[in-house]
Amino acid sequence: MSRTIQFSAAGGPEVLEFVETPVTAPAAHEVCLRVKAIGINRAEAMWRVDDYIEPVQFPARLGYEAAGIVDAVGSEVAGIAVGDKVNVIPSFSMNQYGTYGETVLVPDHAVVPHPPSLSFAEASSIWMMFVTAYAALVVDAKVGKGDFVLIPAASSSVGLAAIQIAKLEGATPIALTRTSEKKQQLLDAGATHVIATEETELVAEVQRITGGNGARIAFDPVGGKNFGKLIAALSFQGTAYIYGALASEPTELPVLDMIARMISVKAHNIWGTSGDPQRRQAAVDYVLKGLASGELKPVIDRSFKFDEIREVHRYLESNGQFGKVVVTL
């Protein structure tokens, strides 16, 4: 038997329940994983309240990321053996699989090598953050020298990944945060500039930093009332990627300004990369190379125990973290 987390109705962290479930043999293309650490994502909190990109089927499991040791493999699994240290990359629906458990089944395509330099906790934190940012900034935007990249919610795990990747590619990361409280942390994390949006006029400061040209890229998980300011801070033919909806209010677009300056807005998620075998492998190779060189580094804000899972979600929704929240088993 294995303790796993399930919930039978949408709601706050209190709906999360520990359930004893039998450990079943993996199907042909499944891997049974003894979980050592779980990476916690905002997507899972949205899933818990049934406000995500697909409707929840109850009773529901949850969890996209994990690191652990292979306990068993399906009959058609290749390249993965019992005893291997591996990670789980987000590449499945939580209506089908979940990683919040002591022992879990995952599809073999979601299993990737464990970076040898990382602990289980560190490895459980890296895949959502780095692959999401990599796919937008490297594959699609092709950022490079001379580019300025605006990164709202920069102290989130994906925001910090975007800072590291933009810098690795030779671009200039401009971290956006509400107040100056985390300014030095963001500079230490690799941001070239930090703008406290509640203390400084965003567009004017971006114009000053970029010599009046604006930023070519914005990489935004928020939307809402300030999205128009991001658009105004972009350069001619700039692009805004929106990969989250953290703002509770509607996101309005300044259409005439966008037409005048030929601005693009692109919806973005990890699935376009992790759901395609070739793109997924390229992303994994990129991240592993960056970790090995030290140019990409996990950033863990706080680690919890598995028994504290409700408190984990309460903390996640407080929006005070700097980096990733993880759970260890």
Side-chain angles (χ1 to χ4, degrees), residues 165-239:
I165 287 173
K167 190 172 183 179
L168 174 58
E169 296 299 315
T172 301
I174 304 174
L176 308 187
T177 185
R178 287 176 295 176
T179 71
S180 298
E181 180 182 359
K182 297 177 181 177
K183 179 176 181 177
Q184 190 57 53
Q185 283 179 286
L186 289 166
L187 291 170
D188 293 343
T192 306
H193 304 277
V194 177
I195 301 175
T197 57
E198 292 180 359
E199 302 169 6
T200 305
E201 208 292 306
L202 172 64
V203 178
E205 184 64 6
V206 172
Q207 291 295 313
R208 184 192 69 79
I209 290 170
T210 63
N213 295 319
R216 186 169 78 84
I217 299 295
F219 185 58
D220 181 42
V222 182
K225 62 184 180 180
N226 290 321
F227 194 70
K229 292 183 180 179
L230 283 183
I231 297 294
L234 290 176
S235 64
F236 179 72
Q237 294 185 327
T239 300

Side-chain angles (χ1 to χ4, degrees), residues 125-168:
S125 76
I126 59 175
W127 296 105
M128 179 72 88
M129 61 185 281
F130 284 123
V131 176
T132 302
Y134 157 84
L137 300 183
V138 178
V139 177
D140 197 80
K142 296 178 174 57
V143 298
K145 187 176 181 180
D147 287 332
F148 291 88
V149 181
L150 299 178
I151 306 171
S155 57
S156 69
S157 59
V158 179
L160 293 167
I163 289 172
Q164 294 183 37
I165 287 173
K167 190 172 183 179
L168 174 58

